[in-house]
Amino acid sequence: MRWSQTLIPTMKETPEGAEIPSHVLMLRAGMINQLMAGAYTYLPLGYRSLRKAEAIIREEMDKAGAVEVHMPAITPISLWEQTGRVEAFGDVLIKFDVRRQGKKVPMALGPTHEEIITDLVKKFVSSYRQLPLTLYQIQTKFRNEERPRFGVLRTSEFLMKDAYSFDSTVEGLNASYDKMYAAYCKIFERCGLDYLAVEAESGPIGGDASHEFMCITPNGEDTVVYDPKSKYAANVERAEIGKRNVAKSSVEPKPLTKLHTPNVGSIEAVSKFLKCKPHQMLKTLIYSADDRPIAVLIRGDHEANENKVRRAVGAKKLALADNETVEKITGAPVGFAGPVGLKVAVPIWADEDVAGMANCIIGANEGDHHYVGANLDRDFKVDHFADLRNAAEGDPSPRSDAKLEVRKTVEIGHVFKLGTKYSDAMGAKFLDDKEQQHTIIMGCYGIGVNRILASLIETKSDANGIVWPMSISPYEVIVSSVNAADAEVAAASDKLYAELQALGVDVLYDDRDQRPGVKFKDADLIGVPLRVVVGGRGLKEGNLELKWRTKEAAEMIPLAGAAEAVAKLVAAERAKYK
RNA sequence: CGGGGCGUAGCUCAGCCUGGCUAGAGCGUCUGGUUUGGGACCAGAAGGUCGCAUGUUCGAAUCAUGUCGCCCCGACCA
């Protein structure tokens, strides 16, 4: 492609509102244009990269035995009602009515396609002989994000590869899952991404039913913990904490004293008011576990993990109790709860670290009052100790003697053993070889295609712009003619461009009548891995200049046979991402 | 949905607090010329409902109220 004949609106300045590298650089490189919050047009350069990521995904899905389909983005609301996900999604689901022959037809834009695919499979699959089956599509998804942000990382419309496996046995599901897991590893490797497969929260199914594929970057919205020694990695929502050596504190117990703490309910406010550290405080959370209240004690600087609490107490549903319940149990407004002197006796659960605390600061179960010097056993009792909090930096690893590290990440893929949640709700069944009817066992597997691009830019760019891996770069080679007005230069670069095209190289030809500096800056900005400069300086010696985007120095190659030499380099580079 | 910020030329921004000449600059665009290896130079030109509405005032980009849009922090995220 000739630069002069396409649309690559590069920008020297950073547009207002763009802050993180991927957003800034995608805008500056002329890859995308914002239409409104959470919706972007992919311009020629951006769309080429997106399609390259898509192509890799498609290849690996096909290799893994998945079969491509294409489902509608518009869906009847009735499907979502069958599984109760109209409520579950809430405002995230984009709902609308369409008039047809004077009647309103309620619809929704697909935010994901479990219901649609299950409906499809229910219609056409009825025998174990037809299983296993894995179907996938690459399709635009719609989710009304409350707050779209971070450029292309969090949008209301995005491209997703979603695959769904259907099996007759749990072993079959495990095999389908493993195949997808392996395909995902291959896909992200081929995209040149440094990724981490982490154990993810899998809801009531539990076990190893879910993994997320994460890209580590400070601008990520997810948090994972990682043990460099055992390679254990998990989402904080899920992460186990290793054996904690919680020794009873040897500090001399102080008397329990009530203090007036006006208008300071939060941990932060109390620690500021009493000039103490959050880890000296004990927070008391009143939860409603299957509609029965419980108290949960967590050290002030830790975060409660509701999934852990839910599993520990053996509840199906768990949520923070409403204000009314809290006031009834503690006799105080929210923010002043404590384990000493609760008005209503409820089971008290505590995180393991609480056992090592002494002279805690706790709410006094009285508005605007706290106790200091509260001590376990003397002042209050705990019914059960368990791991109830999120893992934190420096916690012991559950798999080795190393300490856990905490990292921010972007989720680029997710594999999930669904079980029979949707097939049950929608009645997707099959007959086995004994003519017995069973519910089909499902798995679902998603990849955020746009996020592959954004994550690459987040992690691989430099001060001059994007640094693409050859597999995702919109073009493999850029030919920059320096002084395009010079007839000799123009002829030589035209020829090289034509030859590279004939050799099957994806080449962008910067034929603009621009000064060299402009062309070099733009080439760096858009991040094409290999740059070939055709200029008077080299031509005099019969040479062309080659420069890799990742390298500082350029090298000269002879003009004669240059196209073949470049094609060979491209082939070698391509091979790294196969 | 809570908190904060910003809307002036295609882009980045100044002007606003303290109302008053014809609303500015840089970049980009167009014309002509000189240039040509890391965002050139000279001369000229086009380009604006100052987000929108209402109000205050002799007079509003500037003050007030409302509204819309965008960005950031938090909550939420199958």
Side-chain angles (χ1 to χ4, degrees):
Chain A
M1 176 60 71
R2 285 170 181 266
W3 192 304
S4 64
Q5 287 170 14
T6 181
L7 180 66
I8 309 176
T10 57
M11 282 178 261
K12 208 187 291 195
E13 281 161 310
T14 299
E16 188 201 16
E19 299 201 347
I20 65 169
S22 61
H23 193 197
V24 168
L25 290 175
M26 286 178 95
L27 288 167
R28 286 194 51 212
M31 294 178 67
I32 54 169
N33 179 252
Q34 183 176 34
L35 180 63
M36 60 176 178
Y40 290 84
T41 296
Y42 279 75
L43 300 176
L45 228 43
Y47 194 48
R48 286 184 68 92
S49 282
L50 199 63
R51 277 178 19 225
K52 291 208 174 180
E54 243 183 71
I56 289 173
I57 293 168
R58 195 169 270 126
E59 267 181 50
E60 295 302 327
M61 281 292 115
D62 291 348
K63 267 196 240 169
V67 189
E68 188 168 14
V69 295
H70 193 79
M71 292 179 266
I74 50 170
T75 67
I77 202 94
S78 55
L79 275 185
W80 304 94
E81 283 166 348
Q82 281 184 45
T83 54
R85 288 221 283 182
V86 175
E87 292 77 38
F89 274 116
D91 287 337
V92 171
L93 192 64
I94 298 177
K95 300 174 278 262
F96 57 98
D97 293 323
V98 160
R99 292 206 76 81
R100 283 182 182 168
Q101 301 184 327
K103 283 206 288 195
K104 272 203 296 191
V105 182
M107 298 183 178
L109 294 177
T112 171
H113 279 74
E114 279 87 1
E115 279 81 352
I116 295 92
I117 199 92
T118 308
D119 179 68
L120 179 81
V121 165
K122 176 188 169 181
K123 284 174 185 162
F124 295 114
V125 173
S126 49
S127 158
Y128 74 98
R129 293 175 198 269
Q130 293 170 285
L131 301 173
L133 178 68
T134 298
L135 300 172
Y136 79 96
Q137 66 170 349
I138 297 175
Q139 231 253 16
T140 304
K141 305 290 186 207
F142 298 88
R143 292 179 196 182
N144 177 39
E145 287 295 340
E146 284 294 324
R147 197 185 139 210
R149 63 186 121 172
F150 301 141
V152 131
L153 275 178
R154 193 161 198 83
T155 53
S156 289
E157 177 180 334
F158 55 96
L159 196 62
M160 182 166 155
K161 187 286 304 179
D162 46 327
Y164 306 90
S165 67
F166 300 89
D167 279 278
S168 53
T169 61
V170 171
E171 295 71 37
L173 167 65
N174 290 340
S176 297
Y177 184 90
D178 291 346
K179 262 193 222 168
M180 284 295 120
Y181 186 105
Y184 273 39
C185 295
K186 186 76 186 160
I187 287 166
F188 297 128
E189 275 160 30
R190 290 187 58 190
C191 289
L193 267 168
D194 297 329
Y195 68 95
L196 200 57
V198 311
E199 291 182 13
E201 187 53 53
S202 47
I205 298 174
D208 60 345
S210 172
H211 287 85
E212 286 166 334
F213 289 79
M214 298 293 205
C215 180
I216 297 175
T217 150
N219 291 310
E221 291 187 278
D222 285 294
T223 308
V224 303
V225 301
Y226 176 64
D227 166 11
K229 193 162 174 184
S230 69
K231 304 298 175 197
Y232 172 79
N235 195 307
V236 269
E237 293 168 9
R238 153 92 193 169
E240 301 160 41
I241 300 172
K243 195 169 162 34
R244 292 181 235 171
N245 289 316
V246 182
K248 199 160 167 55
S249 173
S250 54
V251 175
E252 191 66 25
K254 290 184 185 150
L256 186 68
T257 315
K258 193 190 280 184
L259 292 180
H260 184 53
T261 52
N263 293 320
V264 287
S266 71
I267 291 287
E268 201 188 336
V270 176
S271 63
K272 211 165 158 188
F273 185 83
L274 294 176
K275 295 192 173 48
C276 62
K277 291 277 180 322
H279 67 79
Q280 298 171 274
M281 305 182 51
L282 183 60
K283 50 183 165 188
T284 305
L285 303 163
I286 308 296
Y287 277 100
S288 170
D290 290 341
D291 300 324
R292 282 194 311 276
I294 58 164
V296 172
L297 309 183
I298 306 282
R299 207 172 79 188
D301 58 329
H302 288 150
E303 274 174 58
N305 181 313
E306 295 192 2
N307 287 307
K308 288 182 179 178
V309 175
R310 181 175 51 76
R311 278 193 292 267
V313 305
K316 281 203 175 66
K317 261 179 23 197
L318 185 95
L320 276 171
D322 55 42
N323 293 1
E324 199 184 327
T325 309
V326 173
E327 283 167 33
K328 203 175 87 197
I329 290 165
T330 66
V334 174
F336 298 94
V340 177
L342 284 167
K343 300 289 172 293
V344 179
V346 297
I348 296 181
W349 289 74
D351 178 65
E352 290 167 27
D353 282 308
V354 172
M357 295 176 70
N359 298 325
C360 315
I361 298 158
I362 58 173
N365 296 319
E366 181 182 337
D368 293 341
H369 285 82
H370 279 80
Y371 280 120
V372 298
N375 285 282
L376 182 63
D377 296 333
R378 186 192 71 183
D379 304 315
F380 61 95
K381 295 268 186 294
V382 166
D383 298 309
H384 311 277
F385 282 99
D387 172 16
L388 301 178
R389 64 167 174 91
N390 283 346
E393 182 84 32
D395 276 342
S397 164
R399 301 283 186 277
S400 77
D401 56 5
K403 286 185 182 343
L404 292 174
E405 296 176 6
V406 174
R407 295 285 181 274
K408 300 304 282 183
T409 60
V410 170
E411 181 187 348
I412 45 182
H414 196 163
V415 292
F416 199 104
K417 294 179 189 173
L418 281 175
T420 57
K421 181 174 175 187
Y422 296 97
S423 41
D424 251 342
M426 305 187 64
K429 298 185 193 325
F430 70 96
L431 280 178
D432 68 13
D433 58 353
K434 310 225 167 37
E435 301 182 334
Q436 296 295 306
Q437 205 172 48
H438 302 280
T439 304
I440 300 177
I441 302 171
M442 295 173 58
C444 69
Y445 317 90
I447 292 181
V449 187
N450 316 264
R451 283 184 171 187
I452 291 179
L453 306 194
S455 304
L456 273 170
I457 298 173
E458 284 296 324
T459 52
K460 305 283 187 190
S461 59
D462 66 16
N464 293 319
I466 301 170
V467 182
W468 288 118
M470 191 155 280
S471 55
I472 301 294
S473 180
Y475 292 95
E476 293 169 319
V477 172
I478 181 166
V479 172
S480 302
S481 67
V482 159
N483 194 357
D486 182 296
E488 197 190 344
V489 169
S493 37
D494 280 0
K495 181 160 171 278
L496 178 66
Y497 170 55
E499 286 172 352
L500 285 172
Q501 274 192 317
L503 288 167
V505 174
D506 234 346
V507 55
L508 176 64
Y509 175 20
D510 191 350
D511 60 339
R512 295 173 300 170
D513 185 14
Q514 288 286 354
R515 297 180 60 84
V518 174
K519 294 193 175 195
F520 296 155
K521 288 285 183 191
D522 271 349
D524 285 350
L525 181 59
I526 68 172
V528 175
L530 185 57
R531 187 182 80 192
V532 185
V533 179
V534 183
R537 191 193 278 177
L539 285 184
K540 256 185 233 142
E541 331 262 291
N543 284 333
L544 297 179
E545 179 197 287
L546 273 188
K547 186 182 170 299
W548 291 96
R549 179 66 178 80
T550 48
K551 291 198 181 126
E552 201 56 43
E555 52 187 302
M556 304 303 284
I557 60 160
L559 180 59
E564 287 74 16
V566 169
K568 225 172 138 185
L569 289 170
V570 168
E573 190 65 18
R574 274 180 193 163
K576 292 184 191 168
Y577 300 98
K578 276 291 170 202

